[in-house]
Amino acid sequence: MKYQQKLFASILAVTATIASGYLMAAEKSDHPGTSGSEVRYMGAPTMASDVDMTLHPNGPKITPEEWASSTKTYFERCAGCHGVLRKGATGKPLTPDVTQPKGTDYLKAMIAFGTPGGMPNWGSSGDMTDAQIDAMARYLQHTPSQPPEFGMKEMKASWKLVVAPKDRPKKQQGDFDIANVFSVTLRDSGQVALIDGDSKKIISIVDTGYAVHISRPSSTGRYMFVIGRDAKINMIDMYMKVPKTVAEIKIGSEARSVETSKYHGFEDKYAIAGSYWPPQFTIMDGETLEPLKIVSTRGYTVDTQEYHPEPRVAAIVASHEYPEFIVNVKETGKILLVNYKNINALQVTELEAARFLHDGGWDASKRYFMTAANKSNKVAVVDSKDREIEALVDVTEIPHPGRGANLNTKEYGPVWVTSALGSDEITLIGTDPENHKQHAWKVPKVLKGQGGGSLFVKTHPKSKNLWVDAPLNPDTKISQSIAVFNADDLDAGYEVLPIAEWSGVADQGPARVVQPEYNKAGDEVWFSVWNGADAESAIVVVDDKTRKLKAVIKDKRLITPTGKFNVTNTKDDIY
């Protein structure tokens, strides 16, 4: 604490914008509003063992040991926002031309205490020691290290066909309903838990890459594909009595997205994954994960037409209109339509949207892909049938929809919904150009939620509820609860449900409530109560109709549960 007290005056001097006001409102946020270990939700580990020291002649002294440690810390905690090459994205650039004029003391203060604009307080939170902060402040004043490329040779070396297709079960062996299984990310243990949605029991715990970002069932539901932020993909066979990995591969150093082909005649034929580093996507065999084609995404930005060396692949979805994958390229602001009909003569159509593309999902018709360009504060609408950008819709600061939510409102017709990291606004966008043309691709209504720091919104075609989380809000009363709106009476505001309190683990740690997910029937909503790795976590199940507690799932193996993906809702794009 002496270190923090010593720097307190310094932090006030170098961050004049820091006031005592609300975290999201003090200044425009260049980071999601997080503190300490919360940013790990968006950070990502990158294997840094092969990275060489790239000292800048004007940089401060740093030892090889400090360099190696700082490189690892940066890739694990900072690269997700600032970029592997430190050129900035959601977070600001941290290249020597920016950091050297600030100086070591300034950087130490910022790292230790953060800012109300969203810079995490790594020191005062206890996530970094004084020595680590000092080394990181000096490390950032040197030339960024570039991790090694990762091509076909490296992918094939990592590829493991654990069980060949001919040796796998011909029919399901387990007595659970595959269509109602939840794949739950166990973030800090490097695993997923497959949970039976009917019995609420764990079917299997599968070792995976670190901090699985998403799980995607194949179009038939036979396989579950999960990708860690360390770019490792596991292909899990759901037909087995105890589902386990039948193939795995590493497609880079850092990644977020995986998807499988869904178009008629191509079901389960291909899998695709996009990486943050190297900036590229890889098409694989859908039964074995054998890598077949690598495509780089390096190129020029849509606005300034500047070359970008690190345009990372964010969300990927499978088109229902053509044999195509729709690929978001984050930094360039381009959306790629990748036609896989003949991967030896791959056709890639480039659509210009806006920087910085992140996540999104389908409207209710499954024709329009709605995706957030979060730092541009826009939602891009892709018409997958006409294969064009239908609209760019202005929304609130740093939209973060997950897959979004589809409501059928009385006044505006069908709408797609996104919440935001940077404000308490929940934005409705009209999606019916045929019957509600006056509202199509416009914002007819904005709701006020509990606060910023929301990651996911959720509803279901059989429900009248709209659920909104806020796990990254600094107020624990907000981050530990859920807001729920009535779609038939949006003006009535929201009801707050104390999910973390219901779980019984709120007094053991941060207990953030994250990602509502429906069961197959659409009558239950599951919430992760995400606690620290050494504390008890839980999953809370709520009756959708009554909004009452239905069940609490606890198990010592449920370590830091975050994302949950129901097989039916995920493979059929129901949200």
Side-chain angles (χ1 to χ4, degrees):
M1 291 304 296
K2 290 183 179 179
Y3 177 77
Q4 282 81 1
Q5 292 168 355
K6 177 182 174 183
L7 283 174
F8 187 71
S10 177
I11 191 71
L12 292 177
V14 299
T15 57
T17 57
I18 296 180
S20 60
Y22 177 57
L23 178 67
M24 303 298 173
E27 61 175 306
K28 291 206 171 191
S29 176
D30 288 300
H31 266 283
T34 67
S35 61
S37 60
E38 296 173 36
V39 83
R40 293 175 187 163
Y41 190 89
M42 284 166 290
T46 301
M47 298 305 292
S49 58
D50 296 328
V51 174
D52 295 327
M53 292 180 68
T54 49
L55 298 180
H56 191 284
N58 298 325
K61 290 183 178 180
I62 186 169
T63 67
E65 292 77 17
E66 289 173 327
W67 181 273
S69 176
S70 296
T71 299
K72 182 176 184 294
T73 299
Y74 179 84
F75 287 148
E76 287 182 350
R77 300 185 177 183
C78 314
C81 284
H82 296 283
V84 171
L85 301 182
R86 291 200 253 136
K87 291 184 176 294
T90 307
K92 293 179 179 179
L94 293 174
T95 45
D97 60 311
V98 175
T99 56
Q100 285 182 7
K102 302 294 187 184
T104 300
D105 286 342
Y106 176 102
L107 295 170
K108 286 164 64 175
M110 296 295 286
I111 296 167
F113 292 99
T115 74
M119 176 66 192
N121 56 326
W122 295 111
S124 59
S125 67
D127 284 286
M128 291 179 67
T129 66
D130 294 353
Q132 288 175 320
I133 291 170
D134 183 72
M136 180 63 72
R138 288 177 282 124
Y139 170 82
L140 293 177
Q141 296 175 68
H142 289 281
T143 305
S145 300
Q146 179 168 312
E149 297 293 322
F150 207 93
M152 186 62 74
K153 178 183 177 181
E154 290 77 15
M155 288 186 198
K156 287 198 170 182
S158 74
W159 173 48
K160 296 178 182 178
L161 185 58
V162 181
V163 181
K166 65 181 179 63
D167 297 323
R168 298 171 192 168
K170 305 305 180 187
K171 60 182 181 179
Q172 184 184 350
Q173 297 178 331
D175 58 1
F176 52 88
D177 180 8
I178 290 177
N180 198 29
V181 169
F182 289 76
S183 180
V184 180
T185 296
L186 305 181
R187 181 180 168 78
D188 291 347
S189 67
Q191 298 172 317
V192 295
L194 300 176
I195 302 179
D196 182 357
D198 297 324
S199 69
K200 314 293 189 294
K201 301 294 185 182
I202 294 176
I203 302 166
S204 178
I205 300 286
V206 181
D207 292 334
T208 63
Y210 174 78
V212 165
H213 191 237
I214 58 172
S215 297
R216 287 289 183 266
S218 62
S219 62
T220 63
R222 165 73 190 266
Y223 299 109
M224 182 70 73
F225 294 80
V226 299
I227 188 164
R229 298 188 184 214
D230 55 0
K232 181 182 178 181
I233 302 171
N234 288 73
M235 180 181 179
I236 302 167
D237 189 353
M238 304 295 287
Y239 272 15
M240 293 180 168
K241 186 173 183 179
V242 179
K244 67 178 184 179
T245 296
V246 293
E248 65 180 53
I249 192 172
K250 190 170 168 62
I251 53 95
S253 299
E254 184 183 348
R256 293 294 189 278
S257 52
V258 67
E259 180 62 289
T260 65
S261 52
K262 292 183 177 180
Y263 189 69
H264 180 67
F266 291 87
E267 295 91 343
D268 294 8
K269 184 174 178 63
Y270 296 116
I272 183 173
S275 54
Y276 269 23
W277 188 268
Q280 61 195 29
F281 62 84
T282 303
I283 298 175
M284 296 157 284
D285 183 279
E287 281 195 317
T288 66
L289 290 184
E290 180 183 5
L292 303 174
K293 178 77 68 175
I294 304 172
V295 179
S296 173
T297 55
R298 290 182 171 100
Y300 294 84
T301 61
V302 297
D303 43 15
T304 58
Q305 297 290 294
E306 293 177 274
Y307 179 77
H308 200 293
E310 191 192 353
R312 301 174 286 179
V313 177
I316 301 176
V317 296
S319 173
H320 301 275
E321 300 285 348
Y322 298 98
E324 288 184 336
F325 294 117
I326 301 177
V327 179
N328 277 354
V329 185
K330 196 178 186 80
E331 278 75 13
T332 58
K334 295 176 180 178
I335 298 174
L336 308 180
L337 307 181
V338 181
N339 190 297
Y340 52 76
K341 188 173 183 180
N342 181 357
I343 67 167
N344 294 318
L346 200 67
Q347 296 181 13
V348 180
T349 300
E350 187 177 280
L351 305 181
E352 293 193 351
R355 304 168 75 191
F356 293 82
L357 294 164
H358 192 56
D359 56 1
W362 294 100
D363 80 308
S365 73
K366 302 178 187 177
R367 172 174 174 172
Y368 299 99
F369 175 51
M370 316 284 292
T371 186
N374 57 18
K375 197 64 189 300
S376 297
N377 300 327
K378 294 181 184 295
V379 167
V381 182
V382 177
D383 183 343
S384 67
K385 184 175 182 178
D386 290 345
R387 306 175 77 249
E388 63 184 12
I389 297 290
E390 184 71 23
L392 290 174
V393 184
D394 292 325
V395 296
T396 194
E397 189 175 353
I398 315 182
H400 195 287
R403 289 169 286 175
N406 289 300
L407 294 176
N408 193 7
T409 64
K410 294 178 180 178
E411 190 172 354
Y412 314 116
V415 298
W416 180 86
V417 184
T418 180
S419 56
L421 285 164
S423 83
D424 61 359
E425 293 187 352
I426 301 157
T427 304
L428 279 59
I429 300 174
T431 60
D432 183 7
E434 297 296 326
N435 301 309
H436 298 84
K437 188 175 181 179
Q438 71 274 29
H439 300 305
W441 322 131
K442 297 176 183 177
V443 179
K445 193 172 189 65
V446 176
L447 306 174
K448 289 290 185 179
Q450 290 196 87
S454 175
L455 289 174
F456 300 103
V457 291
K458 186 68 65 175
T459 189
H460 190 277
K462 296 180 181 179
S463 174
K464 292 297 182 181
N465 289 325
L466 172 65
W467 306 86
V468 185
D469 71 10
L472 300 186
N473 193 284
D475 186 338
T476 56
K477 290 181 180 178
I478 296 175
S479 65
Q480 294 186 355
S481 62
I482 198 80
V484 54
F485 293 82
N486 182 349
D488 287 339
D489 189 10
L490 293 171
D491 291 328
Y494 55 82
E495 179 183 1
V496 176
L497 302 185
I499 302 297
E501 179 183 324
W502 286 352
S503 74
V505 303
D507 61 344
Q508 300 181 35
R512 301 169 188 89
V513 175
V514 62
Q515 204 208 31
E517 176 73 326
Y518 276 86
N519 64 343
K520 180 182 73 171
D523 58 10
E524 293 178 355
V525 193
W526 292 34
F527 301 91
S528 293
V529 182
W530 165 30
N531 231 336
D534 298 328
E536 186 179 35
S537 291
I539 293 173
V540 171
V541 182
V542 175
D543 185 290
D544 183 69
K545 185 176 182 180
T546 65
R547 301 181 180 177
K548 302 297 184 182
L549 176 64
K550 190 170 182 177
V552 176
I553 303 172
K554 290 183 180 179
D555 191 295
K556 63 181 180 180
R557 296 171 292 173
L558 288 179
I559 300 170
T560 59
T562 52
K564 299 167 300 305
F565 303 89
N566 177 268
V567 169
T568 293
N569 295 329
T570 306
K571 76 181 182 66
D572 294 341
D573 295 313
I574 298 172
Y575 33 83

Coordinates of all heavy atoms in Angstrom, one line a residue, residues 299-353:
G299 N -4.6 -5.7 -44.4 CA -5.0 -4.8 -45.5 C -5.3 -3.4 -45.1 O -4.8 -2.9 -44.0
Y300 N -6.2 -2.7 -45.8 CA -6.4 -1.3 -45.6 C -7.7 -1.0 -44.9 O -8.7 -1.7 -45.1 CB -6.3 -0.6 -47.0 CG -4.9 -0.6 -47.5 CD1 -4.5 -1.7 -48.3 CD2 -4.0 0.4 -47.3 CE1 -3.2 -1.8 -48.8 CE2 -2.7 0.4 -47.8 CZ -2.3 -0.8 -48.6 OH -1.1 -0.8 -49.0
T301 N -7.7 0.1 -44.1 CA -8.9 0.4 -43.4 C -10.0 1.0 -44.3 O -9.7 1.6 -45.3 CB -8.6 1.4 -42.2 OG1 -8.1 2.6 -42.8 CG2 -7.6 0.8 -41.3
V302 N -11.3 0.9 -43.9 CA -12.3 1.4 -44.7 C -12.4 3.0 -44.7 O -13.0 3.5 -45.6 CB -13.7 0.9 -44.2 CG1 -13.7 -0.6 -44.4 CG2 -14.0 1.3 -42.8
D303 N -11.9 3.6 -43.7 CA -12.1 5.1 -43.6 C -10.9 5.8 -44.1 O -10.9 6.5 -45.2 CB -12.4 5.5 -42.1 CG -11.5 4.8 -41.1 OD1 -10.5 4.1 -41.5 OD2 -11.8 4.8 -39.9
T304 N -9.7 5.7 -43.5 CA -8.5 6.4 -43.9 C -7.7 5.7 -45.0 O -6.7 6.3 -45.5 CB -7.6 6.7 -42.7 OG1 -7.2 5.4 -42.1 CG2 -8.3 7.6 -41.7
Q305 N -8.1 4.5 -45.3 CA -7.4 3.7 -46.3 C -5.9 3.5 -46.0 O -5.0 3.5 -46.9 CB -7.5 4.3 -47.7 CG -8.9 4.4 -48.2 CD -9.5 3.0 -48.6 OE1 -9.0 2.4 -49.5 NE2 -10.5 2.6 -47.9
E306 N -5.6 3.4 -44.7 CA -4.3 3.1 -44.2 C -4.1 1.6 -44.1 O -5.0 0.9 -43.6 CB -4.0 3.8 -42.9 CG -4.0 5.4 -43.0 CD -3.8 6.0 -41.7 OE1 -4.8 6.2 -41.0 OE2 -2.7 6.3 -41.3
Y307 N -2.9 1.2 -44.3 CA -2.5 -0.2 -44.2 C -2.5 -0.6 -42.7 O -1.9 0.2 -41.9 CB -1.2 -0.6 -44.8 CG -0.8 -2.0 -44.6 CD1 -1.4 -3.0 -45.4 CD2 0.1 -2.4 -43.7 CE1 -1.0 -4.4 -45.2 CE2 0.5 -3.7 -43.5 CZ -0.1 -4.7 -44.3 OH 0.2 -6.0 -44.1
H308 N -3.1 -1.7 -42.3 CA -3.1 -2.1 -40.9 C -2.5 -3.5 -40.9 O -3.0 -4.4 -41.5 CB -4.5 -2.1 -40.4 CG -4.6 -2.1 -38.9 ND1 -4.1 -3.2 -38.1 CD2 -5.0 -1.2 -38.0 CE1 -4.2 -2.8 -36.8 NE2 -4.8 -1.6 -36.7
P309 N -1.4 -3.7 -40.0 CA -0.7 -5.0 -40.0 C -1.4 -6.0 -39.1 O -1.0 -7.2 -39.1 CB 0.6 -4.6 -39.4 CG 0.3 -3.4 -38.5 CD -0.8 -2.6 -39.2
E310 N -2.5 -5.6 -38.3 CA -3.0 -6.5 -37.3 C -4.6 -6.4 -37.3 O -5.2 -6.2 -36.3 CB -2.5 -6.1 -35.9 CG -2.8 -7.2 -34.9 CD -2.5 -6.6 -33.5 OE1 -2.0 -5.5 -33.4 OE2 -2.9 -7.3 -32.5
P311 N -5.2 -6.6 -38.5 CA -6.7 -6.6 -38.5 C -7.3 -7.9 -38.0 O -7.3 -8.9 -38.8 CB -7.1 -6.2 -39.9 CG -5.9 -6.6 -40.7 CD -4.7 -6.7 -39.8
R312 N -7.7 -8.0 -36.8 CA -8.1 -9.2 -36.2 C -9.5 -9.7 -36.6 O -10.3 -8.9 -36.9 CB -8.0 -9.1 -34.6 CG -6.6 -8.7 -34.2 CD -6.6 -8.4 -32.7 NE -7.2 -7.1 -32.4 CZ -7.3 -6.6 -31.1 NH1 -6.8 -7.3 -30.1 NH2 -7.9 -5.5 -30.9
V313 N -9.6 -11.0 -36.6 CA -10.9 -11.6 -37.0 C -11.8 -11.7 -35.7 O -11.4 -12.4 -34.8 CB -10.8 -13.0 -37.6 CG1 -12.1 -13.6 -37.9 CG2 -9.9 -12.8 -38.9
A314 N -12.9 -11.1 -35.7 CA -13.8 -11.1 -34.6 C -14.9 -12.2 -34.9 O -14.6 -13.3 -35.1 CB -14.4 -9.7 -34.3
A315 N -16.2 -11.7 -34.9 CA -17.3 -12.7 -35.1 C -17.3 -13.3 -36.4 O -16.9 -12.7 -37.4 CB -18.6 -12.0 -34.8
I316 N -17.7 -14.6 -36.5 CA -18.0 -15.3 -37.7 C -19.3 -16.0 -37.6 O -19.6 -16.6 -36.6 CB -16.9 -16.4 -38.0 CG1 -15.5 -15.8 -38.1 CG2 -17.2 -17.1 -39.3 CD1 -14.4 -16.8 -38.3
V317 N -20.2 -15.8 -38.6 CA -21.5 -16.6 -38.6 C -21.6 -17.3 -40.0 O -21.0 -16.9 -41.0 CB -22.7 -15.6 -38.4 CG1 -22.6 -15.0 -37.0 CG2 -22.8 -14.5 -39.5
A318 N -22.5 -18.3 -40.0 CA -22.7 -19.0 -41.2 C -24.0 -18.5 -41.9 O -25.1 -18.5 -41.2 CB -22.8 -20.5 -40.9
S319 N -23.9 -18.2 -43.1 CA -25.1 -17.7 -43.9 C -26.1 -18.8 -44.1 O -25.8 -20.0 -44.3 CB -24.6 -17.1 -45.2 OG -25.8 -16.8 -46.0
H320 N -27.4 -18.4 -44.1 CA -28.5 -19.4 -44.4 C -28.9 -19.2 -45.8 O -29.7 -20.0 -46.3 CB -29.7 -19.1 -43.5 CG -29.4 -19.2 -42.0 ND1 -29.4 -20.5 -41.4 CD2 -29.0 -18.3 -41.1 CE1 -29.1 -20.3 -40.1 NE2 -28.8 -19.0 -39.9
E321 N -28.4 -18.2 -46.5 CA -28.8 -17.9 -47.9 C -27.9 -18.5 -49.0 O -28.3 -18.9 -50.1 CB -28.9 -16.4 -48.1 CG -29.8 -15.7 -47.2 CD -31.3 -15.9 -47.6 OE1 -31.5 -16.4 -48.7 OE2 -32.2 -15.5 -46.8
Y322 N -26.6 -18.6 -48.6 CA -25.6 -19.1 -49.6 C -24.6 -20.0 -48.8 O -24.5 -19.9 -47.6 CB -24.8 -18.0 -50.3 CG -25.7 -17.1 -51.1 CD1 -26.2 -15.9 -50.5 CD2 -26.1 -17.4 -52.4 CE1 -27.0 -15.0 -51.3 CE2 -26.9 -16.5 -53.1 CZ -27.3 -15.4 -52.6 OH -28.1 -14.5 -53.3
P323 N -23.8 -20.8 -49.5 CA -22.7 -21.5 -48.8 C -21.6 -20.5 -48.5 O -20.5 -20.5 -49.2 CB -22.3 -22.5 -49.9 CG -22.6 -22.0 -51.2 CD -23.9 -21.1 -51.0
E324 N -21.8 -19.7 -47.5 CA -20.9 -18.6 -47.2 C -20.7 -18.5 -45.7 O -21.7 -18.7 -44.9 CB -21.4 -17.3 -47.7 CG -21.2 -17.1 -49.2 CD -21.7 -15.8 -49.7 OE1 -22.4 -15.1 -49.0 OE2 -21.2 -15.4 -50.8
F325 N -19.5 -18.1 -45.3 CA -19.3 -17.6 -43.9 C -19.2 -16.1 -44.0 O -18.7 -15.5 -44.9 CB -17.9 -18.1 -43.4 CG -17.9 -19.6 -43.2 CD1 -17.0 -20.4 -43.9 CD2 -18.8 -20.2 -42.2 CE1 -17.0 -21.8 -43.7 CE2 -18.7 -21.6 -42.1 CZ -17.9 -22.4 -42.8
I326 N -19.7 -15.4 -43.0 CA -19.6 -14.0 -42.9 C -18.6 -13.7 -41.8 O -18.8 -14.1 -40.6 CB -21.0 -13.4 -42.5 CG1 -22.0 -13.7 -43.7 CG2 -20.9 -11.8 -42.4 CD1 -23.4 -13.2 -43.4
V327 N -17.6 -13.0 -42.1 CA -16.4 -12.8 -41.3 C -16.2 -11.3 -41.0 O -16.0 -10.5 -41.9 CB -15.1 -13.4 -42.0 CG1 -13.9 -13.2 -41.1 CG2 -15.3 -14.9 -42.3
N328 N -16.1 -11.0 -39.7 CA -15.8 -9.6 -39.3 C -14.3 -9.4 -39.1 O -13.7 -10.2 -38.4 CB -16.5 -9.3 -37.9 CG -17.9 -8.9 -38.1 OD1 -18.5 -8.7 -39.1 ND2 -18.6 -8.7 -36.9
V329 N -13.8 -8.4 -39.8 CA -12.4 -8.0 -39.6 C -12.3 -6.7 -38.8 O -12.7 -5.7 -39.3 CB -11.7 -7.9 -41.0 CG1 -10.2 -7.6 -40.8 CG2 -11.9 -9.1 -41.8
K330 N -11.9 -6.8 -37.6 CA -12.1 -5.8 -36.6 C -11.5 -4.5 -37.0 O -12.2 -3.5 -37.1 CB -11.5 -6.3 -35.3 CG -11.9 -5.5 -34.1 CD -11.2 -6.2 -32.8 CE -11.7 -5.5 -31.5 NZ -13.0 -6.1 -31.1
E331 N -10.2 -4.4 -37.1 CA -9.5 -3.1 -37.3 C -9.7 -2.4 -38.7 O -9.7 -1.2 -38.7 CB -8.0 -3.2 -37.0 CG -7.6 -3.2 -35.6 CD -7.9 -4.5 -34.9 OE1 -8.2 -5.5 -35.5 OE2 -7.9 -4.5 -33.6
T332 N -9.9 -3.2 -39.7 CA -10.1 -2.6 -41.0 C -11.6 -2.2 -41.2 O -11.9 -1.4 -42.1 CB -9.7 -3.5 -42.2 OG1 -10.5 -4.7 -42.1 CG2 -8.2 -3.8 -42.1
G333 N -12.5 -2.7 -40.5 CA -13.9 -2.4 -40.6 C -14.5 -3.1 -41.8 O -15.6 -2.6 -42.3
K334 N -14.0 -4.2 -42.2 CA -14.5 -4.9 -43.4 C -15.2 -6.2 -43.0 O -14.8 -6.9 -42.1 CB -13.4 -5.2 -44.4 CG -12.7 -4.0 -45.0 CD -11.6 -4.3 -45.9 CE -10.9 -3.1 -46.5 NZ -9.8 -3.3 -47.3
I335 N -16.3 -6.5 -43.7 CA -17.0 -7.7 -43.5 C -16.8 -8.6 -44.8 O -17.1 -8.1 -45.9 CB -18.5 -7.5 -43.2 CG1 -18.6 -6.7 -41.9 CG2 -19.3 -8.8 -43.1 CD1 -20.1 -6.2 -41.6
L336 N -16.3 -9.8 -44.6 CA -16.0 -10.6 -45.7 C -17.1 -11.7 -45.9 O -17.5 -12.4 -44.9 CB -14.6 -11.3 -45.5 CG -13.5 -10.4 -45.2 CD1 -12.2 -11.2 -45.0 CD2 -13.3 -9.3 -46.2
L337 N -17.6 -11.9 -47.1 CA -18.5 -13.0 -47.4 C -17.6 -14.1 -48.1 O -17.2 -13.9 -49.2 CB -19.6 -12.5 -48.4 CG -20.4 -11.3 -47.9 CD1 -21.4 -11.0 -48.9 CD2 -21.0 -11.5 -46.6
V338 N -17.3 -15.1 -47.4 CA -16.4 -16.2 -47.8 C -17.2 -17.4 -48.3 O -17.8 -18.1 -47.6 CB -15.5 -16.6 -46.7 CG1 -14.5 -17.7 -47.1 CG2 -14.7 -15.4 -46.1
N339 N -17.2 -17.5 -49.7 CA -18.0 -18.6 -50.3 C -17.2 -19.9 -50.3 O -16.1 -19.9 -50.9 CB -18.4 -18.2 -51.7 CG -19.4 -19.2 -52.3 OD1 -19.1 -20.3 -52.5 ND2 -20.6 -18.7 -52.6
Y340 N -17.7 -20.9 -49.6 CA -16.9 -22.1 -49.5 C -17.4 -23.2 -50.4 O -17.0 -24.4 -50.3 CB -17.0 -22.6 -48.0 CG -18.3 -22.8 -47.4 CD1 -19.2 -23.8 -47.8 CD2 -18.8 -21.8 -46.5 CE1 -20.5 -23.9 -47.2 CE2 -20.1 -22.0 -45.9 CZ -20.9 -23.0 -46.3 OH -22.1 -23.1 -45.7
K341 N -18.1 -22.9 -51.4 CA -18.6 -23.9 -52.4 C -17.4 -24.6 -53.0 O -17.5 -25.9 -53.2 CB -19.5 -23.3 -53.5 CG -20.2 -24.2 -54.4 CD -21.1 -23.6 -55.3 CE -21.9 -24.6 -56.2 NZ -22.8 -23.9 -57.1
N342 N -16.4 -23.9 -53.3 CA -15.1 -24.5 -53.8 C -14.0 -23.8 -53.2 O -13.6 -22.7 -53.6 CB -15.1 -24.4 -55.4 CG -13.8 -25.0 -55.9 OD1 -13.0 -25.5 -55.2 ND2 -13.7 -25.0 -57.3
I343 N -13.4 -24.4 -52.1 CA -12.4 -23.7 -51.4 C -11.1 -23.7 -52.1 O -10.2 -22.9 -51.7 CB -12.2 -24.4 -50.0 CG1 -11.6 -25.8 -50.1 CG2 -13.5 -24.4 -49.2 CD1 -11.1 -26.3 -48.7
N344 N -11.0 -24.4 -53.2 CA -9.8 -24.3 -54.1 C -9.9 -23.2 -55.0 O -8.9 -22.8 -55.7 CB -9.5 -25.6 -54.8 CG -9.2 -26.8 -53.9 OD1 -8.4 -26.6 -52.9 ND2 -9.8 -27.9 -54.1
A345 N -11.0 -22.6 -55.1 CA -11.2 -21.4 -55.9 C -12.1 -20.4 -55.0 O -13.2 -20.0 -55.4 CB -11.9 -21.6 -57.2
L346 N -11.6 -20.1 -53.9 CA -12.3 -19.4 -52.8 C -12.7 -18.0 -53.3 O -11.9 -17.3 -53.8 CB -11.4 -19.3 -51.6 CG -12.2 -19.0 -50.3 CD1 -13.0 -20.2 -49.9 CD2 -11.1 -18.7 -49.2
Q347 N -14.0 -17.7 -53.2 CA -14.5 -16.4 -53.5 C -14.8 -15.6 -52.2 O -15.5 -16.0 -51.4 CB -15.8 -16.5 -54.3 CG -15.6 -17.2 -55.7 CD -16.9 -17.3 -56.5 OE1 -17.9 -16.6 -56.1 NE2 -16.9 -18.1 -57.5
V348 N -14.1 -14.4 -52.1 CA -14.3 -13.6 -51.0 C -14.8 -12.2 -51.4 O -14.1 -11.5 -52.2 CB -12.9 -13.4 -50.2 CG1 -13.1 -12.5 -49.0 CG2 -12.4 -14.8 -49.8
T349 N -16.0 -11.9 -51.0 CA -16.6 -10.6 -51.3 C -16.4 -9.7 -50.1 O -16.7 -10.0 -49.0 CB -18.1 -10.7 -51.6 OG1 -18.2 -11.6 -52.7 CG2 -18.7 -9.4 -51.9
E350 N -15.8 -8.5 -50.4 CA -15.5 -7.5 -49.3 C -16.5 -6.4 -49.2 O -16.8 -5.7 -50.2 CB -14.1 -6.9 -49.6 CG -13.5 -6.1 -48.6 CD -12.1 -5.6 -49.0 OE1 -11.2 -6.4 -48.8 OE2 -12.0 -4.5 -49.5
L351 N -17.1 -6.3 -48.0 CA -18.1 -5.2 -47.8 C -17.5 -4.2 -46.8 O -16.8 -4.6 -45.8 CB -19.4 -5.8 -47.1 CG -20.1 -6.9 -47.9 CD1 -21.4 -7.4 -47.1 CD2 -20.5 -6.5 -49.3
E352 N -17.7 -3.0 -47.1 CA -17.1 -1.9 -46.2 C -18.1 -1.5 -45.2 O -19.2 -1.1 -45.5 CB -16.7 -0.7 -47.1 CG -15.5 -1.0 -48.0 CD -14.8 0.2 -48.5 OE1 -15.4 1.3 -48.4 OE2 -13.8 0.1 -49.1
A353 N -17.8 -1.7 -43.9 CA -18.7 -1.3 -42.8 C -18.1 -0.2 -42.0 O -18.1 1.0 -42.5 CB -19.0 -2.5 -41.9

